[in-house]
Amino acid sequence: TLLKVYAQYDRTDLISREREVLRRFDLGEDNVYLNATLRHESPQKAWKQYAGVAYSWHQQAIGGAVQSDDYWYLRESEWHLKMKTERSWADGRLGMQAGAEGYLRRYATTYQWSEVNGGNPMHRQLHPNISATFLSFKVFPLLWLKTELSLRGEYASPAKEWNLSPRLALNGYVGPVMLSAVVGRYTQLPLAERMAEAHQLGMEHCTHYNLGVQYKVARRYAKAELYDKEYSHLAWYDGTTWSNGGDGYSRGVDLFFSDPESLRNLEYQLSYTYNIGKRKAGTDPVRSTPQYATRHNASLVLKYTIPSCHLILGMTNSVASGRPYHDDTLPGWMNRECRPYHSLDLALTYLPTKRMIIHCSASNILDRTNEFGRENGKPVLASSNSFFYMGVFLTLGKKAAYDVSNF
């Protein structure tokens, strides 16, 4: 029997001045996270039980959120309760898992702007809870084939809606190659801020199809996936009211390759993603490519280790096609793209002792001005083109901060 308890707290403060609109942006955030898990095995290890509870609390206060004299306040919290039991038979070739979980959420906002509402704050609050049960079976009908069939039932408030989500996964093993196929139905609640405006909104649905192949020999690893996601019942505003009338799709391919062995002390990773996706969701009048979606994404990561100095040098080069945005002077919706994205980042990690890690990183060292969309005809930019970070991590327990055998 094993009990684990974890706690975390962080505080963020940020003040910036925007000269163009003569606004002082003042942000303060608090985050609290707690969890406890309990695992138990029967003496014969036939049955395994698990129970867990997690609590998260987030508070955000912003002065000058939109205008210089406004105030925004957000408070949200969530309890996540989960318990399950599982058992396997026939030397692990047959397995079963069943359980239940619940999400108890609270969401509340306050917005005040004296010129809009005469100093009277506007309040919104919501309690979007979810209760769920799940059952799954794993079967190895052949030594090289693994199948998993699962069913999940959910009840969501405040829409008072039931949903059933079946899922099927197949994995085939041929030497160092694994072939996989997954089909399943998934659901989620709309964004809390949208549900706060329209309590009648129900769950959003997605049917997911995936075909993949993985190859692993020693520490070399390669992966390729084809996916197709079909969305329905998305939260959508038709100009008058909110409803679940939105839909869309996302299709593409993911490629990844990692090789830490071919070159001495050098590890490199290559990744590429191609995506085509369109949605009619939020305030979009028609199906269009979301503002955050880019068609091409690629990155190269290099890590060079100097064992005698306990140093790791890193470089990441990331590129992406431009994000779409809407131009009122052209026909259609989301009809233009920003300039492509490019960032060259460097990092250095020093391991002076077994219990200490010193890490430094610098992003976008070429000082390129990257755009993340357009608002009111103006590019959306980061607060700074480049950032420098330094962190010192110290382990106080008996365990080392890293595996010394790697050096």
Side-chain angles (χ1 to χ4, degrees), residues 275-324:
N275 175 266
I276 301 177
K278 289 190 176 183
R279 292 189 184 186
K280 185 179 71 172
T283 57
D284 294 330
V286 295
R287 271 193 179 188
S288 59
T289 304
Q291 184 271 336
Y292 56 81
T294 53
R295 180 159 296 189
H296 303 276
N297 295 271
S299 69
L300 167 65
V301 179
L302 300 177
K303 294 181 182 179
Y304 184 71
T305 303
I306 307 177
S308 60
C309 301
H310 283 198
L311 280 176
I312 301 176
L313 306 178
M315 185 201 77
T316 301
N317 191 33
S318 303
V319 295
S321 53
R323 297 191 181 194

Side-chain angles (χ1 to χ4, degrees), residues 301-355:
V301 179
L302 300 177
K303 294 181 182 179
Y304 184 71
T305 303
I306 307 177
S308 60
C309 301
H310 283 198
L311 280 176
I312 301 176
L313 306 178
M315 185 201 77
T316 301
N317 191 33
S318 303
V319 295
S321 53
R323 297 191 181 194
Y325 69 93
H326 179 68
D327 187 342
D328 291 330
T329 64
L330 297 177
W333 182 254
M334 300 299 284
N335 44 26
R336 295 198 67 176
E337 284 189 357
C338 301
R339 58 185 297 195
Y341 172 91
H342 180 213
S343 180
L344 180 62
D345 310 331
L346 297 180
L348 182 148
T349 303
Y350 176 52
L351 311 171
T353 71
K354 294 181 180 180
R355 292 183 172 87

Side-chain angles (χ1 to χ4, degrees), residues 25 28 45 49 51 56 121 132 135 139 154 161 175 208 216 220 236 265 279 298 352 370:
F25 180 85
K45 296 186 178 182
Q49 287 83 32
S56 60
L135 176 66
V139 183
E154 291 182 329
E161 177 185 358
H208 186 180
K216 186 174 183 180
R220 294 188 186 92
W236 179 60
N265 296 333
R279 292 189 184 186
N370 287 310

Side-chain angles (χ1 to χ4, degrees), residues 87-96 137-147:
R87 179 170 180 173
S88 60
W89 297 269
D91 296 327
R93 297 184 63 180
L94 176 63
M96 182 273 292
F137 294 94
K138 295 181 180 179
V139 183
F140 280 85
L142 301 171
L143 292 177
W144 55 269
L145 179 64
K146 175 184 177 182
T147 65

Side-chain angles (χ1 to χ4, degrees), residues 373-407:
R374 295 287 180 96
E375 289 184 1
N376 300 320
K378 297 181 179 180
V380 178
L381 307 175
S383 57
S384 176
N385 286 342
S386 303
F387 292 89
F388 178 78
Y389 170 83
M390 180 176 180
V392 179
F393 304 90
L394 181 65
T395 298
L396 301 179
K398 295 182 180 180
K399 294 183 179 180
Y402 62 92
D403 186 357
V404 70
S405 63
N406 292 333
F407 301 91

